[in-house]
Amino acid sequence: MVKILLCCSAGMSTSMVVQRMQKAATQLGLEAKIDAVGMEEFNEKIAEYDCCLLGPQIKYKLADFERQAQEYHKPVTVINTMDYGMLNGEKILKSALALIDANKGA
Amino acid sequence: MSTLADSLFGVIENRISPIAARLSSQRHVVAIKDGFIASMPFLIVGSFMLLFSHPPFSQDSQWGFAQWWLGMVKQYNDQLMMPYNMTMGIMAVFITGAIAYNLAQSYKLNGLMAALLSLMTFLVVAAPEKDGALSVASLGGEGIFSAILISLYCTEVMHWLVKYNIGFKLPEQVPPKIRQSFDLLIPIMVIFLTLYPLNLFMESHFGLLIPQAIMSVFAPIISAADSLPAVLIAVLLCHLLWFAGIHGAAIVGGILQAFWLSNLGLNQEALNAGQDIPKIFIEPFWQFFITVGGSGATMGLVILYLRSRSAHLRAIGRLGFVPGMFNINEPIIFGSPVVMNPLLFIPFITTPLINAVIAWTATRTNLINHVISLAPWTTPGPIGAAWSTGWDWRAVVLVAFLICLSTLIYYPFFKLYERQLLAQEEEMAQEQLAEEMK
């Protein structure tokens, strides 16, 4: 079971991405818990997930969030702009899985 | 043209964005913004009740439904206004606690304790008891700036005392819950020793409470923030940031929220007193008139995309149409992309500015009602506009007009971009064909 956290300004547009990712996960036969939150909730949620993907509109938060996530050894990254705009759930999901794998290896 | 555009984008990317990013990651700014967000549900429900208590009909309306509503409101005015009075009416109370909580969390202090400390302090300075009653006069809109300053001050005092390890040291065996309540004794004393004398001094010398004094200091800024130039600067800054791919609305809105809420408080007081509504610039004005469909007023652009000959734009249009109705437009902004796209820069910046001028003028000349209520920002444009102006149907007409206008402004730029994409799509199709022919 993988647990992926998505985060944007209010958790609205990322929640559309979550739906697409959830669908892609089902197609891959993958058990996944994917949630979207607003950025004020990042701090209290990150510990429960394997990684966090940020909406590109809050990429300026990356350094700040990375520092907070380091405490729990969780990787944080920004979603590719085009994939985000096209709500490409499958590609975003795969990049998240790759991120989690890379983190495990480290 | 292209070098000019490049240097402009360079300035946005390298100068404006980092400052905005730093500002919006700054601890106190974040705490203030999150505090406002936490208070918002109370304010939305409270201002809804205010609208309900002021039906949009004239007193001598002959329509049965209107007469029934007016009669009921007259009879039960106090009961109906109670939810308003206990939310919007004392909004500074919620804001004080919520900001202190968030700031304390960011310092890894006890949020609940910071919130309680700030609440006490705020009540001491803003509503000193007289004849067995607390006055609510300074607890509403007038108290907002005091709420911010007091909650920051109290939490900083706590933080300072913890940092220098000042406080009662209870032995380890004492249960944590009990130790926690002792932790607050010193901060409370410090607050009383510092703020309370100031309070007494202000009252005896000037006959003012601290919130009233703070409001009179802020008054020139508040009235400047309600002018058309201020609106245009805010809109311009927000969209320059968005253009660099940064959530401009979250940053600019976060800073403007205190002014918006204070303006809203003034408008609601005026409505309640039956006076002319004074203020224009409040969040729904921005949300539903200036940026209908999301930042950049992209509703018009989505409509163009829906019928585009470019497969890419059509796909974005389909993805973005429904979210766009609820003012969510990330698919448009990142999918088109609008971000760093020189062809869409001009309409993306100018459309909201033009909308602002039109909506401002319409409000000022009383063509539409002023904003007197909050609606959630995801309410579809026309409905949100009607809701926040006290169910004014003319606001719906204005929003419809602004959507049509934005379609017109975007059209020539959309055509240019479409032509560029069509050429690319054509090229790709031919390459593919050539592959297959091999």
Side-chain angles (χ1 to χ4, degrees), chain A residues 9-10 12-13 16 20 39-40 56-57 59-61 81-82 84-87, chain B residues 21 24 33-34 242 244-247 250 312 316 319 323 330-331 334-335:
Chain A
S9 175
M12 288 287 178
S13 64
M16 301 188 301
R20 301 293 178 112
M39 55 192 182
E40 73 275 12
Q57 67 275 37
K59 65 180 174 200
Y60 61 89
K61 282 280 189 187
T81 306
M82 212 51 183
Y84 193 75
M86 297 298 289
L87 303 180
Chain B
S24 61
K33 202 177 94 196
D34 291 349
W242 257 125
I246 286 187
H247 201 305
H312 173 70
I316 296 289
L319 281 175
E330 276 86 348
F334 293 110

PDB file of all heavy atoms in Angstrom, chain A residues 9-10 12-13 16 20 39-40 56-57 59-61 81-82 84-87, chain B residues 21 24 33-34 242 244-247 250 312 316 319 323 330-331 334-335:
ATOM      1  N   SER A   9      -2.652  25.172  -2.817  1.00  0.00           N
ATOM      2  CA  SER A   9      -3.054  26.311  -2.008  1.00  0.00           C
ATOM      3  C   SER A   9      -4.226  25.974  -1.087  1.00  0.00           C
ATOM      4  O   SER A   9      -4.175  26.181   0.101  1.00  0.00           O
ATOM      5  CB  SER A   9      -3.396  27.477  -2.916  1.00  0.00           C
ATOM      6  OG  SER A   9      -3.880  28.532  -2.158  1.00  0.00           O
ATOM      7  N   ALA A  10      -5.311  25.435  -1.667  1.00  0.00           N
ATOM      8  CA  ALA A  10      -6.473  25.124  -0.846  1.00  0.00           C
ATOM      9  C   ALA A  10      -6.846  23.650  -0.943  1.00  0.00           C
ATOM     10  O   ALA A  10      -7.831  23.210  -0.383  1.00  0.00           O
ATOM     11  CB  ALA A  10      -7.651  25.994  -1.252  1.00  0.00           C
ATOM     12  N   MET A  12      -7.857  22.239  -3.642  1.00  0.00           N
ATOM     13  CA  MET A  12      -8.974  22.105  -4.586  1.00  0.00           C
ATOM     14  C   MET A  12      -8.527  21.478  -5.905  1.00  0.00           C
ATOM     15  O   MET A  12      -9.035  20.458  -6.324  1.00  0.00           O
ATOM     16  CB  MET A  12      -9.579  23.477  -4.894  1.00  0.00           C
ATOM     17  CG  MET A  12     -10.354  24.055  -3.757  1.00  0.00           C
ATOM     18  SD  MET A  12     -11.911  23.210  -3.517  1.00  0.00           S
ATOM     19  CE  MET A  12     -12.510  24.105  -2.104  1.00  0.00           C
ATOM     20  N   SER A  13      -7.568  22.151  -6.574  1.00  0.00           N
ATOM     21  CA  SER A  13      -7.198  21.646  -7.890  1.00  0.00           C
ATOM     22  C   SER A  13      -6.439  20.328  -7.762  1.00  0.00           C
ATOM     23  O   SER A  13      -6.583  19.452  -8.609  1.00  0.00           O
ATOM     24  CB  SER A  13      -6.382  22.686  -8.657  1.00  0.00           C
ATOM     25  OG  SER A  13      -5.178  22.943  -8.011  1.00  0.00           O
ATOM     26  N   MET A  16      -8.610  17.239  -7.904  1.00  0.00           N
ATOM     27  CA  MET A  16      -8.970  16.707  -9.231  1.00  0.00           C
ATOM     28  C   MET A  16      -7.881  15.751  -9.711  1.00  0.00           C
ATOM     29  O   MET A  16      -8.173  14.736 -10.332  1.00  0.00           O
ATOM     30  CB  MET A  16      -9.131  17.844 -10.239  1.00  0.00           C
ATOM     31  CG  MET A  16     -10.188  18.842  -9.841  1.00  0.00           C
ATOM     32  SD  MET A  16     -10.547  20.050 -11.132  1.00  0.00           S
ATOM     33  CE  MET A  16      -8.992  20.824 -11.394  1.00  0.00           C
ATOM     34  N   ARG A  20      -7.823  11.395 -10.667  1.00  0.00           N
ATOM     35  CA  ARG A  20      -7.203  10.759 -11.836  1.00  0.00           C
ATOM     36  C   ARG A  20      -6.142   9.741 -11.415  1.00  0.00           C
ATOM     37  O   ARG A  20      -5.978   8.695 -12.028  1.00  0.00           O
ATOM     38  CB  ARG A  20      -6.558  11.810 -12.742  1.00  0.00           C
ATOM     39  CG  ARG A  20      -7.523  12.860 -13.255  1.00  0.00           C
ATOM     40  CD  ARG A  20      -8.509  12.209 -14.194  1.00  0.00           C
ATOM     41  NE  ARG A  20      -9.480  13.178 -14.675  1.00  0.00           N
ATOM     42  CZ  ARG A  20      -9.535  13.594 -15.940  1.00  0.00           C
ATOM     43  NH1 ARG A  20      -8.714  13.108 -16.823  1.00  0.00           N
ATOM     44  NH2 ARG A  20     -10.450  14.476 -16.301  1.00  0.00           N
ATOM     45  N   MET A  39      -2.231  23.918   1.873  1.00  0.00           N
ATOM     46  CA  MET A  39      -0.857  23.957   2.375  1.00  0.00           C
ATOM     47  C   MET A  39      -0.751  24.176   3.877  1.00  0.00           C
ATOM     48  O   MET A  39       0.255  23.844   4.476  1.00  0.00           O
ATOM     49  CB  MET A  39      -0.013  24.962   1.595  1.00  0.00           C
ATOM     50  CG  MET A  39      -0.524  26.359   1.523  1.00  0.00           C
ATOM     51  SD  MET A  39       0.442  27.241   0.270  1.00  0.00           S
ATOM     52  CE  MET A  39      -0.270  28.872   0.391  1.00  0.00           C
ATOM     53  N   GLU A  40      -1.823  24.701   4.505  1.00  0.00           N
ATOM     54  CA  GLU A  40      -1.719  24.898   5.954  1.00  0.00           C
ATOM     55  C   GLU A  40      -1.791  23.571   6.717  1.00  0.00           C
ATOM     56  O   GLU A  40      -1.483  23.505   7.895  1.00  0.00           O
ATOM     57  CB  GLU A  40      -2.776  25.894   6.451  1.00  0.00           C
ATOM     58  CG  GLU A  40      -4.195  25.402   6.499  1.00  0.00           C
ATOM     59  CD  GLU A  40      -4.889  25.544   5.154  1.00  0.00           C
ATOM     60  OE1 GLU A  40      -4.228  25.804   4.130  1.00  0.00           O
ATOM     61  OE2 GLU A  40      -6.116  25.396   5.126  1.00  0.00           O
ATOM     62  N   PRO A  56       2.227  22.874  -8.897  1.00  0.00           N
ATOM     63  CA  PRO A  56       3.279  23.803  -9.337  1.00  0.00           C
ATOM     64  C   PRO A  56       3.043  25.242  -8.865  1.00  0.00           C
ATOM     65  O   PRO A  56       3.989  26.008  -8.752  1.00  0.00           O
ATOM     66  CB  PRO A  56       3.215  23.713 -10.861  1.00  0.00           C
ATOM     67  CG  PRO A  56       2.065  22.856 -11.206  1.00  0.00           C
ATOM     68  CD  PRO A  56       1.572  22.160  -9.987  1.00  0.00           C
ATOM     69  N   GLN A  57       1.788  25.599  -8.576  1.00  0.00           N
ATOM     70  CA  GLN A  57       1.531  26.978  -8.150  1.00  0.00           C
ATOM     71  C   GLN A  57       2.087  27.286  -6.766  1.00  0.00           C
ATOM     72  O   GLN A  57       2.152  28.437  -6.362  1.00  0.00           O
ATOM     73  CB  GLN A  57       0.034  27.297  -8.226  1.00  0.00           C
ATOM     74  CG  GLN A  57      -0.848  26.560  -7.258  1.00  0.00           C
ATOM     75  CD  GLN A  57      -1.271  25.207  -7.765  1.00  0.00           C
ATOM     76  OE1 GLN A  57      -0.521  24.500  -8.423  1.00  0.00           O
ATOM     77  NE2 GLN A  57      -2.489  24.806  -7.479  1.00  0.00           N
ATOM     78  N   LYS A  59       5.153  25.972  -5.818  1.00  0.00           N
ATOM     79  CA  LYS A  59       6.534  25.456  -5.836  1.00  0.00           C
ATOM     80  C   LYS A  59       7.443  26.294  -4.950  1.00  0.00           C
ATOM     81  O   LYS A  59       8.474  25.814  -4.501  1.00  0.00           O
ATOM     82  CB  LYS A  59       7.069  25.409  -7.273  1.00  0.00           C
ATOM     83  CG  LYS A  59       7.201  26.771  -7.912  1.00  0.00           C
ATOM     84  CD  LYS A  59       7.730  26.694  -9.326  1.00  0.00           C
ATOM     85  CE  LYS A  59       7.695  28.075  -9.955  1.00  0.00           C
ATOM     86  NZ  LYS A  59       7.738  28.093 -11.395  1.00  0.00           N
ATOM     87  N   TYR A  60       7.045  27.537  -4.673  1.00  0.00           N
ATOM     88  CA  TYR A  60       7.879  28.375  -3.810  1.00  0.00           C
ATOM     89  C   TYR A  60       7.920  27.853  -2.378  1.00  0.00           C
ATOM     90  O   TYR A  60       8.728  28.289  -1.575  1.00  0.00           O
ATOM     91  CB  TYR A  60       7.378  29.831  -3.838  1.00  0.00           C
ATOM     92  CG  TYR A  60       5.971  30.030  -3.358  1.00  0.00           C
ATOM     93  CD1 TYR A  60       5.709  30.268  -2.015  1.00  0.00           C
ATOM     94  CD2 TYR A  60       4.893  29.992  -4.244  1.00  0.00           C
ATOM     95  CE1 TYR A  60       4.417  30.458  -1.565  1.00  0.00           C
ATOM     96  CE2 TYR A  60       3.599  30.179  -3.798  1.00  0.00           C
ATOM     97  CZ  TYR A  60       3.366  30.413  -2.463  1.00  0.00           C
ATOM     98  OH  TYR A  60       2.094  30.592  -2.022  1.00  0.00           O
ATOM     99  N   LYS A  61       7.044  26.908  -2.055  1.00  0.00           N
ATOM    100  CA  LYS A  61       7.023  26.321  -0.715  1.00  0.00           C
ATOM    101  C   LYS A  61       7.974  25.133  -0.604  1.00  0.00           C
ATOM    102  O   LYS A  61       8.155  24.577   0.480  1.00  0.00           O
ATOM    103  CB  LYS A  61       5.597  25.830  -0.396  1.00  0.00           C
ATOM    104  CG  LYS A  61       4.648  26.946  -0.009  1.00  0.00           C
ATOM    105  CD  LYS A  61       4.865  27.313   1.433  1.00  0.00           C
ATOM    106  CE  LYS A  61       3.815  28.265   1.929  1.00  0.00           C
ATOM    107  NZ  LYS A  61       4.144  28.736   3.278  1.00  0.00           N
ATOM    108  N   THR A  81       4.552  20.654 -14.542  1.00  0.00           N
ATOM    109  CA  THR A  81       3.515  21.635 -14.878  1.00  0.00           C
ATOM    110  C   THR A  81       2.508  21.114 -15.896  1.00  0.00           C
ATOM    111  O   THR A  81       1.304  21.225 -15.723  1.00  0.00           O
ATOM    112  CB  THR A  81       4.189  22.892 -15.455  1.00  0.00           C
ATOM    113  OG1 THR A  81       5.159  23.341 -14.536  1.00  0.00           O
ATOM    114  CG2 THR A  81       3.179  23.978 -15.693  1.00  0.00           C
ATOM    115  N   MET A  82       3.026  20.541 -16.962  1.00  0.00           N
ATOM    116  CA  MET A  82       2.138  20.093 -18.044  1.00  0.00           C
ATOM    117  C   MET A  82       1.274  18.919 -17.600  1.00  0.00           C
ATOM    118  O   MET A  82       0.080  18.878 -17.881  1.00  0.00           O
ATOM    119  CB  MET A  82       2.996  19.709 -19.257  1.00  0.00           C
ATOM    120  CG  MET A  82       2.342  19.965 -20.570  1.00  0.00           C
ATOM    121  SD  MET A  82       1.721  21.640 -20.637  1.00  0.00           S
ATOM    122  CE  MET A  82       0.955  21.643 -22.209  1.00  0.00           C
ATOM    123  N   TYR A  84       0.317  18.342 -14.671  1.00  0.00           N
ATOM    124  CA  TYR A  84      -0.660  18.888 -13.728  1.00  0.00           C
ATOM    125  C   TYR A  84      -1.824  19.516 -14.491  1.00  0.00           C
ATOM    126  O   TYR A  84      -2.986  19.245 -14.216  1.00  0.00           O
ATOM    127  CB  TYR A  84       0.018  19.931 -12.850  1.00  0.00           C
ATOM    128  CG  TYR A  84      -0.785  20.330 -11.644  1.00  0.00           C
ATOM    129  CD1 TYR A  84      -0.877  19.484 -10.558  1.00  0.00           C
ATOM    130  CD2 TYR A  84      -1.448  21.548 -11.598  1.00  0.00           C
ATOM    131  CE1 TYR A  84      -1.603  19.834  -9.446  1.00  0.00           C
ATOM    132  CE2 TYR A  84      -2.180  21.915 -10.478  1.00  0.00           C
ATOM    133  CZ  TYR A  84      -2.244  21.052  -9.405  1.00  0.00           C
ATOM    134  OH  TYR A  84      -2.969  21.406  -8.305  1.00  0.00           O
ATOM    135  N   GLY A  85      -1.486  20.343 -15.480  1.00  0.00           N
ATOM    136  CA  GLY A  85      -2.518  21.010 -16.260  1.00  0.00           C
ATOM    137  C   GLY A  85      -3.401  20.027 -17.009  1.00  0.00           C
ATOM    138  O   GLY A  85      -4.612  20.218 -17.122  1.00  0.00           O
ATOM    139  N   MET A  86      -2.792  18.958 -17.512  1.00  0.00           N
ATOM    140  CA  MET A  86      -3.562  17.980 -18.276  1.00  0.00           C
ATOM    141  C   MET A  86      -4.198  16.934 -17.368  1.00  0.00           C
ATOM    142  O   MET A  86      -4.826  15.999 -17.848  1.00  0.00           O
ATOM    143  CB  MET A  86      -2.665  17.269 -19.299  1.00  0.00           C
ATOM    144  CG  MET A  86      -2.066  18.175 -20.355  1.00  0.00           C
ATOM    145  SD  MET A  86      -3.311  18.970 -21.384  1.00  0.00           S
ATOM    146  CE  MET A  86      -3.900  17.569 -22.334  1.00  0.00           C
ATOM    147  N   LEU A  87      -4.027  17.083 -16.049  1.00  0.00           N
ATOM    148  CA  LEU A  87      -4.546  16.120 -15.073  1.00  0.00           C
ATOM    149  C   LEU A  87      -4.148  14.701 -15.466  1.00  0.00           C
ATOM    150  O   LEU A  87      -4.978  13.791 -15.484  1.00  0.00           O
ATOM    151  CB  LEU A  87      -6.075  16.231 -14.954  1.00  0.00           C
ATOM    152  CG  LEU A  87      -6.648  17.589 -14.585  1.00  0.00           C
ATOM    153  CD1 LEU A  87      -8.164  17.509 -14.505  1.00  0.00           C
ATOM    154  CD2 LEU A  87      -6.088  18.083 -13.261  1.00  0.00           C
TER     155      LEU A  87
ATOM    156  N   ALA B  21       7.647  34.786  -2.727  1.00  0.00           N
ATOM    157  CA  ALA B  21       7.790  33.459  -2.134  1.00  0.00           C
ATOM    158  C   ALA B  21       8.274  33.580  -0.689  1.00  0.00           C
ATOM    159  O   ALA B  21       7.752  32.933   0.211  1.00  0.00           O
ATOM    160  CB  ALA B  21       8.771  32.625  -2.944  1.00  0.00           C
ATOM    161  N   SER B  24       5.472  34.989   1.512  1.00  0.00           N
ATOM    162  CA  SER B  24       4.360  34.108   1.820  1.00  0.00           C
ATOM    163  C   SER B  24       4.813  32.860   2.562  1.00  0.00           C
ATOM    164  O   SER B  24       3.983  32.052   2.936  1.00  0.00           O
ATOM    165  CB  SER B  24       3.623  33.735   0.551  1.00  0.00           C
ATOM    166  OG  SER B  24       4.501  33.069  -0.286  1.00  0.00           O
ATOM    167  N   LYS B  33      -2.561  34.409   7.762  1.00  0.00           N
ATOM    168  CA  LYS B  33      -3.390  33.885   6.683  1.00  0.00           C
ATOM    169  C   LYS B  33      -4.168  32.642   7.131  1.00  0.00           C
ATOM    170  O   LYS B  33      -5.373  32.537   6.914  1.00  0.00           O
ATOM    171  CB  LYS B  33      -2.507  33.547   5.480  1.00  0.00           C
ATOM    172  CG  LYS B  33      -3.270  33.523   4.205  1.00  0.00           C
ATOM    173  CD  LYS B  33      -2.364  33.267   3.035  1.00  0.00           C
ATOM    174  CE  LYS B  33      -2.369  31.805   2.760  1.00  0.00           C
ATOM    175  NZ  LYS B  33      -1.302  31.343   1.929  1.00  0.00           N
ATOM    176  N   ASP B  34      -3.475  31.720   7.795  1.00  0.00           N
ATOM    177  CA  ASP B  34      -4.149  30.505   8.249  1.00  0.00           C
ATOM    178  C   ASP B  34      -5.200  30.824   9.308  1.00  0.00           C
ATOM    179  O   ASP B  34      -6.227  30.151   9.395  1.00  0.00           O
ATOM    180  CB  ASP B  34      -3.127  29.496   8.786  1.00  0.00           C
ATOM    181  CG  ASP B  34      -2.259  28.927   7.672  1.00  0.00           C
ATOM    182  OD1 ASP B  34      -2.604  29.158   6.498  1.00  0.00           O
ATOM    183  OD2 ASP B  34      -1.246  28.271   7.963  1.00  0.00           O
ATOM    184  N   TRP B 242       1.106  34.911 -10.915  1.00  0.00           N
ATOM    185  CA  TRP B 242       0.518  33.731 -11.556  1.00  0.00           C
ATOM    186  C   TRP B 242       1.232  33.422 -12.861  1.00  0.00           C
ATOM    187  O   TRP B 242       1.464  32.273 -13.217  1.00  0.00           O
ATOM    188  CB  TRP B 242      -0.965  33.947 -11.863  1.00  0.00           C
ATOM    189  CG  TRP B 242      -1.893  33.267 -10.909  1.00  0.00           C
ATOM    190  CD1 TRP B 242      -2.886  33.858 -10.192  1.00  0.00           C
ATOM    191  CD2 TRP B 242      -1.954  31.868 -10.580  1.00  0.00           C
ATOM    192  NE1 TRP B 242      -3.544  32.920  -9.425  1.00  0.00           N
ATOM    193  CE2 TRP B 242      -2.982  31.687  -9.654  1.00  0.00           C
ATOM    194  CE3 TRP B 242      -1.212  30.753 -10.967  1.00  0.00           C
ATOM    195  CZ2 TRP B 242      -3.311  30.455  -9.116  1.00  0.00           C
ATOM    196  CZ3 TRP B 242      -1.538  29.510 -10.433  1.00  0.00           C
ATOM    197  CH2 TRP B 242      -2.583  29.365  -9.512  1.00  0.00           C
ATOM    198  N   ALA B 244       4.222  33.830 -13.530  1.00  0.00           N
ATOM    199  CA  ALA B 244       5.478  33.141 -13.238  1.00  0.00           C
ATOM    200  C   ALA B 244       5.214  31.767 -12.639  1.00  0.00           C
ATOM    201  O   ALA B 244       6.138  31.081 -12.221  1.00  0.00           O
ATOM    202  CB  ALA B 244       6.323  33.976 -12.288  1.00  0.00           C
ATOM    203  N   GLY B 245       3.934  31.360 -12.590  1.00  0.00           N
ATOM    204  CA  GLY B 245       3.604  30.032 -12.090  1.00  0.00           C
ATOM    205  C   GLY B 245       3.416  29.965 -10.589  1.00  0.00           C
ATOM    206  O   GLY B 245       3.371  28.893 -10.009  1.00  0.00           O
ATOM    207  N   ILE B 246       3.278  31.138  -9.961  1.00  0.00           N
ATOM    208  CA  ILE B 246       3.123  31.169  -8.503  1.00  0.00           C
ATOM    209  C   ILE B 246       1.693  31.569  -8.161  1.00  0.00           C
ATOM    210  O   ILE B 246       1.107  32.421  -8.821  1.00  0.00           O
ATOM    211  CB  ILE B 246       4.120  32.173  -7.891  1.00  0.00           C
ATOM    212  CG1 ILE B 246       5.513  31.576  -7.922  1.00  0.00           C
ATOM    213  CG2 ILE B 246       3.735  32.548  -6.492  1.00  0.00           C
ATOM    214  CD1 ILE B 246       6.525  32.395  -7.193  1.00  0.00           C
ATOM    215  N   HIS B 247       1.147  30.949  -7.148  1.00  0.00           N
ATOM    216  CA  HIS B 247      -0.237  31.200  -6.776  1.00  0.00           C
ATOM    217  C   HIS B 247      -0.399  32.632  -6.255  1.00  0.00           C
ATOM    218  O   HIS B 247      -0.380  32.888  -5.062  1.00  0.00           O
ATOM    219  CB  HIS B 247      -0.655  30.197  -5.706  1.00  0.00           C
ATOM    220  CG  HIS B 247      -2.142  30.031  -5.604  1.00  0.00           C
ATOM    221  ND1 HIS B 247      -2.987  31.090  -5.401  1.00  0.00           N
ATOM    222  CD2 HIS B 247      -2.935  28.944  -5.704  1.00  0.00           C
ATOM    223  CE1 HIS B 247      -4.235  30.636  -5.357  1.00  0.00           C
ATOM    224  NE2 HIS B 247      -4.223  29.342  -5.556  1.00  0.00           N
ATOM    225  N   ALA B 250      -3.233  33.531  -3.646  1.00  0.00           N
ATOM    226  CA  ALA B 250      -3.005  33.132  -2.253  1.00  0.00           C
ATOM    227  C   ALA B 250      -2.111  34.154  -1.554  1.00  0.00           C
ATOM    228  O   ALA B 250      -2.311  34.446  -0.379  1.00  0.00           O
ATOM    229  CB  ALA B 250      -2.368  31.752  -2.185  1.00  0.00           C
ATOM    230  N   HIS B 312      -5.237  19.870 -28.660  1.00  0.00           N
ATOM    231  CA  HIS B 312      -4.720  20.122 -27.316  1.00  0.00           C
ATOM    232  C   HIS B 312      -5.613  21.106 -26.554  1.00  0.00           C
ATOM    233  O   HIS B 312      -6.029  20.849 -25.426  1.00  0.00           O
ATOM    234  CB  HIS B 312      -3.290  20.672 -27.415  1.00  0.00           C
ATOM    235  CG  HIS B 312      -2.731  21.116 -26.104  1.00  0.00           C
ATOM    236  ND1 HIS B 312      -2.402  20.225 -25.105  1.00  0.00           N
ATOM    237  CD2 HIS B 312      -2.470  22.354 -25.602  1.00  0.00           C
ATOM    238  CE1 HIS B 312      -1.945  20.886 -24.067  1.00  0.00           C
ATOM    239  NE2 HIS B 312      -1.983  22.180 -24.328  1.00  0.00           N
ATOM    240  N   ILE B 316      -7.943  20.662 -23.153  1.00  0.00           N
ATOM    241  CA  ILE B 316      -7.844  21.523 -21.966  1.00  0.00           C
ATOM    242  C   ILE B 316      -9.200  22.151 -21.650  1.00  0.00           C
ATOM    243  O   ILE B 316      -9.614  22.251 -20.499  1.00  0.00           O
ATOM    244  CB  ILE B 316      -6.821  22.656 -22.208  1.00  0.00           C
ATOM    245  CG1 ILE B 316      -5.434  22.069 -22.396  1.00  0.00           C
ATOM    246  CG2 ILE B 316      -6.812  23.641 -21.060  1.00  0.00           C
ATOM    247  CD1 ILE B 316      -4.838  21.514 -21.156  1.00  0.00           C
ATOM    248  N   LEU B 319     -11.309  19.598 -19.942  1.00  0.00           N
ATOM    249  CA  LEU B 319     -10.846  19.371 -18.563  1.00  0.00           C
ATOM    250  C   LEU B 319     -11.175  20.560 -17.676  1.00  0.00           C
ATOM    251  O   LEU B 319     -11.489  20.400 -16.496  1.00  0.00           O
ATOM    252  CB  LEU B 319      -9.327  19.185 -18.541  1.00  0.00           C
ATOM    253  CG  LEU B 319      -8.744  17.857 -18.936  1.00  0.00           C
ATOM    254  CD1 LEU B 319      -7.230  17.956 -18.946  1.00  0.00           C
ATOM    255  CD2 LEU B 319      -9.190  16.790 -17.949  1.00  0.00           C
ATOM    256  N   PRO B 323     -14.382  22.673 -13.632  1.00  0.00           N
ATOM    257  CA  PRO B 323     -13.670  23.340 -12.537  1.00  0.00           C
ATOM    258  C   PRO B 323     -13.729  24.863 -12.660  1.00  0.00           C
ATOM    259  O   PRO B 323     -13.871  25.564 -11.658  1.00  0.00           O
ATOM    260  CB  PRO B 323     -12.229  22.841 -12.684  1.00  0.00           C
ATOM    261  CG  PRO B 323     -12.322  21.601 -13.470  1.00  0.00           C
ATOM    262  CD  PRO B 323     -13.529  21.704 -14.334  1.00  0.00           C
ATOM    263  N   GLU B 330      -6.519  25.845 -12.526  1.00  0.00           N
ATOM    264  CA  GLU B 330      -5.163  25.329 -12.703  1.00  0.00           C
ATOM    265  C   GLU B 330      -4.991  24.545 -14.008  1.00  0.00           C
ATOM    266  O   GLU B 330      -3.952  24.660 -14.646  1.00  0.00           O
ATOM    267  CB  GLU B 330      -4.734  24.482 -11.504  1.00  0.00           C
ATOM    268  CG  GLU B 330      -4.171  25.296 -10.350  1.00  0.00           C
ATOM    269  CD  GLU B 330      -5.248  25.810  -9.417  1.00  0.00           C
ATOM    270  OE1 GLU B 330      -6.434  25.720  -9.790  1.00  0.00           O
ATOM    271  OE2 GLU B 330      -4.913  26.289  -8.325  1.00  0.00           O
ATOM    272  N   PRO B 331      -5.987  23.734 -14.416  1.00  0.00           N
ATOM    273  CA  PRO B 331      -5.811  23.052 -15.706  1.00  0.00           C
ATOM    274  C   PRO B 331      -5.555  24.041 -16.851  1.00  0.00           C
ATOM    275  O   PRO B 331      -4.709  23.785 -17.706  1.00  0.00           O
ATOM    276  CB  PRO B 331      -7.127  22.315 -15.908  1.00  0.00           C
ATOM    277  CG  PRO B 331      -7.658  22.099 -14.540  1.00  0.00           C
ATOM    278  CD  PRO B 331      -7.220  23.290 -13.745  1.00  0.00           C
ATOM    279  N   PHE B 334      -1.907  25.845 -16.200  1.00  0.00           N
ATOM    280  CA  PHE B 334      -0.726  25.003 -16.418  1.00  0.00           C
ATOM    281  C   PHE B 334      -0.842  24.143 -17.665  1.00  0.00           C
ATOM    282  O   PHE B 334       0.162  23.685 -18.202  1.00  0.00           O
ATOM    283  CB  PHE B 334      -0.481  24.114 -15.196  1.00  0.00           C
ATOM    284  CG  PHE B 334      -0.077  24.891 -13.999  1.00  0.00           C
ATOM    285  CD1 PHE B 334      -0.924  25.027 -12.922  1.00  0.00           C
ATOM    286  CD2 PHE B 334       1.152  25.516 -13.958  1.00  0.00           C
ATOM    287  CE1 PHE B 334      -0.564  25.768 -11.815  1.00  0.00           C
ATOM    288  CE2 PHE B 334       1.531  26.254 -12.852  1.00  0.00           C
ATOM    289  CZ  PHE B 334       0.678  26.382 -11.785  1.00  0.00           C
ATOM    290  N   GLY B 335      -2.063  23.871 -18.103  1.00  0.00           N
ATOM    291  CA  GLY B 335      -2.250  22.985 -19.247  1.00  0.00           C
ATOM    292  C   GLY B 335      -2.097  23.703 -20.569  1.00  0.00           C
ATOM    293  O   GLY B 335      -1.607  23.134 -21.534  1.00  0.00           O
TER     294      GLY B 335
END
